[in-house]
Short mmCIF file of all heavy atoms in Angstrom, two decimals:
data_model
loop_
_atom_site.label_atom_id
_atom_site.label_comp_id
_atom_site.label_asym_id
_atom_site.label_seq_id
_atom_site.Cartn_x
_atom_site.Cartn_y
_atom_site.Cartn_z
N ARG A 21 -24.80 -9.22 6.99
CA ARG A 21 -26.11 -9.19 6.33
C ARG A 21 -25.95 -9.52 4.86
O ARG A 21 -25.20 -8.86 4.15
CB ARG A 21 -26.75 -7.81 6.46
CG ARG A 21 -27.09 -7.48 7.89
CD ARG A 21 -27.81 -6.19 7.95
NE ARG A 21 -29.08 -6.47 8.61
CZ ARG A 21 -30.06 -5.62 8.69
NH1 ARG A 21 -29.98 -4.44 8.12
NH2 ARG A 21 -31.15 -5.93 9.33
N PHE A 23 -27.84 -10.07 1.12
CA PHE A 23 -28.99 -9.56 0.37
C PHE A 23 -29.10 -10.34 -0.94
O PHE A 23 -28.11 -10.80 -1.48
CB PHE A 23 -28.81 -8.07 0.07
CG PHE A 23 -28.65 -7.22 1.30
CD1 PHE A 23 -27.39 -6.90 1.77
CD2 PHE A 23 -29.76 -6.77 1.99
CE1 PHE A 23 -27.23 -6.12 2.91
CE2 PHE A 23 -29.62 -5.99 3.14
CZ PHE A 23 -28.35 -5.67 3.59
N ARG A 26 -27.86 -7.47 -3.97
CA ARG A 26 -26.71 -6.58 -3.79
C ARG A 26 -25.65 -7.30 -2.97
O ARG A 26 -25.91 -8.35 -2.40
CB ARG A 26 -27.10 -5.25 -3.15
CG ARG A 26 -27.73 -5.38 -1.77
CD ARG A 26 -27.62 -4.11 -0.95
NE ARG A 26 -26.23 -3.97 -0.57
CZ ARG A 26 -25.65 -2.86 -0.19
NH1 ARG A 26 -26.35 -1.77 -0.12
NH2 ARG A 26 -24.39 -2.81 0.13
N THR A 27 -24.47 -6.72 -2.91
CA THR A 27 -23.39 -7.34 -2.16
C THR A 27 -23.66 -7.26 -0.66
O THR A 27 -24.42 -6.42 -0.21
CB THR A 27 -22.03 -6.67 -2.50
OG1 THR A 27 -22.13 -5.28 -2.20
CG2 THR A 27 -21.65 -6.89 -3.94
N PRO A 28 -23.05 -8.15 0.11
CA PRO A 28 -23.32 -8.20 1.55
C PRO A 28 -22.67 -7.04 2.31
O PRO A 28 -21.81 -6.33 1.78
CB PRO A 28 -22.68 -9.53 1.96
CG PRO A 28 -21.59 -9.75 0.98
CD PRO A 28 -22.10 -9.18 -0.31
N LEU A 29 -23.09 -6.89 3.56
CA LEU A 29 -22.51 -5.90 4.47
C LEU A 29 -21.98 -6.62 5.70
O LEU A 29 -22.58 -7.59 6.17
CB LEU A 29 -23.56 -4.89 4.93
CG LEU A 29 -24.22 -4.02 3.87
CD1 LEU A 29 -25.31 -3.15 4.51
CD2 LEU A 29 -23.20 -3.15 3.17
N PHE A 30 -20.89 -6.11 6.23
CA PHE A 30 -20.36 -6.60 7.50
C PHE A 30 -20.15 -5.38 8.38
O PHE A 30 -19.46 -4.44 7.98
CB PHE A 30 -19.05 -7.37 7.30
CG PHE A 30 -18.52 -7.95 8.58
CD1 PHE A 30 -19.14 -9.04 9.16
CD2 PHE A 30 -17.42 -7.40 9.20
CE1 PHE A 30 -18.67 -9.57 10.35
CE2 PHE A 30 -16.93 -7.92 10.39
CZ PHE A 30 -17.56 -9.02 10.96
N THR A 31 -20.76 -5.39 9.56
CA THR A 31 -20.74 -4.22 10.43
C THR A 31 -20.16 -4.58 11.79
O THR A 31 -20.44 -5.64 12.34
CB THR A 31 -22.18 -3.68 10.62
OG1 THR A 31 -22.71 -3.37 9.34
CG2 THR A 31 -22.21 -2.45 11.49
N VAL A 39 -18.80 0.78 12.10
CA VAL A 39 -17.97 0.62 10.92
C VAL A 39 -18.63 -0.44 10.04
O VAL A 39 -18.89 -1.56 10.50
CB VAL A 39 -16.54 0.17 11.28
CG1 VAL A 39 -15.70 -0.06 10.03
CG2 VAL A 39 -15.87 1.19 12.21
N THR A 40 -18.90 -0.09 8.79
CA THR A 40 -19.53 -1.03 7.87
C THR A 40 -18.63 -1.27 6.68
O THR A 40 -18.16 -0.32 6.04
CB THR A 40 -20.89 -0.49 7.37
OG1 THR A 40 -21.74 -0.27 8.50
CG2 THR A 40 -21.57 -1.46 6.43
N PHE A 41 -18.36 -2.54 6.39
CA PHE A 41 -17.58 -2.92 5.22
C PHE A 41 -18.55 -3.11 4.06
O PHE A 41 -19.51 -3.87 4.16
CB PHE A 41 -16.84 -4.25 5.46
CG PHE A 41 -15.78 -4.15 6.51
CD1 PHE A 41 -16.07 -4.37 7.84
CD2 PHE A 41 -14.47 -3.84 6.15
CE1 PHE A 41 -15.09 -4.28 8.81
CE2 PHE A 41 -13.49 -3.74 7.11
CZ PHE A 41 -13.79 -3.95 8.44
N THR A 42 -18.29 -2.39 2.98
CA THR A 42 -19.13 -2.51 1.78
C THR A 42 -18.25 -2.94 0.61
O THR A 42 -17.03 -2.82 0.65
CB THR A 42 -19.80 -1.16 1.45
OG1 THR A 42 -18.79 -0.19 1.20
CG2 THR A 42 -20.69 -0.70 2.58
N LEU A 43 -18.88 -3.43 -0.41
CA LEU A 43 -18.19 -3.91 -1.61
C LEU A 43 -18.80 -3.28 -2.85
O LEU A 43 -19.96 -2.88 -2.84
CB LEU A 43 -18.33 -5.44 -1.72
CG LEU A 43 -17.68 -6.26 -0.62
CD1 LEU A 43 -18.21 -7.68 -0.66
CD2 LEU A 43 -16.17 -6.24 -0.77
N PRO A 44 -18.02 -3.24 -3.92
CA PRO A 44 -18.62 -2.79 -5.18
C PRO A 44 -19.62 -3.83 -5.67
O PRO A 44 -19.57 -5.00 -5.28
CB PRO A 44 -17.42 -2.69 -6.12
CG PRO A 44 -16.39 -3.60 -5.55
CD PRO A 44 -16.62 -3.61 -4.06
N GLU A 45 -20.53 -3.42 -6.52
CA GLU A 45 -21.52 -4.36 -7.04
C GLU A 45 -20.89 -5.44 -7.93
O GLU A 45 -21.38 -6.55 -7.99
CB GLU A 45 -22.61 -3.61 -7.82
CG GLU A 45 -23.49 -2.76 -6.93
CD GLU A 45 -24.21 -3.55 -5.84
OE1 GLU A 45 -24.72 -4.65 -6.12
OE2 GLU A 45 -24.25 -3.06 -4.70
N LEU A 47 -17.90 -7.81 -8.23
CA LEU A 47 -16.82 -8.36 -7.42
C LEU A 47 -15.72 -8.97 -8.27
O LEU A 47 -15.99 -9.54 -9.33
CB LEU A 47 -17.37 -9.43 -6.48
CG LEU A 47 -18.42 -8.95 -5.48
CD1 LEU A 47 -18.94 -10.12 -4.66
CD2 LEU A 47 -17.86 -7.87 -4.59
N GLU A 51 -11.64 -8.74 -3.97
CA GLU A 51 -12.67 -8.69 -2.94
C GLU A 51 -12.85 -10.06 -2.27
O GLU A 51 -13.04 -10.14 -1.05
CB GLU A 51 -14.01 -8.22 -3.53
CG GLU A 51 -14.05 -6.75 -3.87
CD GLU A 51 -13.39 -6.43 -5.21
OE1 GLU A 51 -13.25 -7.34 -6.06
OE2 GLU A 51 -13.02 -5.27 -5.42
N PHE A 54 -9.87 -10.44 0.05
CA PHE A 54 -10.06 -9.62 1.25
C PHE A 54 -11.01 -10.31 2.23
O PHE A 54 -10.74 -10.38 3.43
CB PHE A 54 -10.60 -8.23 0.89
CG PHE A 54 -10.97 -7.44 2.12
CD1 PHE A 54 -9.99 -6.80 2.86
CD2 PHE A 54 -12.29 -7.37 2.54
CE1 PHE A 54 -10.32 -6.09 4.01
CE2 PHE A 54 -12.63 -6.67 3.68
CZ PHE A 54 -11.65 -6.03 4.42
N LEU A 58 -10.06 -11.48 5.92
CA LEU A 58 -10.81 -10.93 7.05
C LEU A 58 -11.30 -12.07 7.95
O LEU A 58 -11.17 -12.01 9.18
CB LEU A 58 -11.98 -10.08 6.55
CG LEU A 58 -12.90 -9.49 7.62
CD1 LEU A 58 -12.15 -8.48 8.49
CD2 LEU A 58 -14.10 -8.83 6.95
#
Side-chain angles (χ1 to χ4, degrees):
R21 294 185 123 190
F23 301 95
R26 59 158 289 160
T27 57
L29 298 176
F30 183 73
T31 302
V39 177
T40 301
F41 293 89
T42 61
L43 296 165
E45 291 301 317
L47 299 177
E51 287 81 20
F54 172 80
L58 178 65

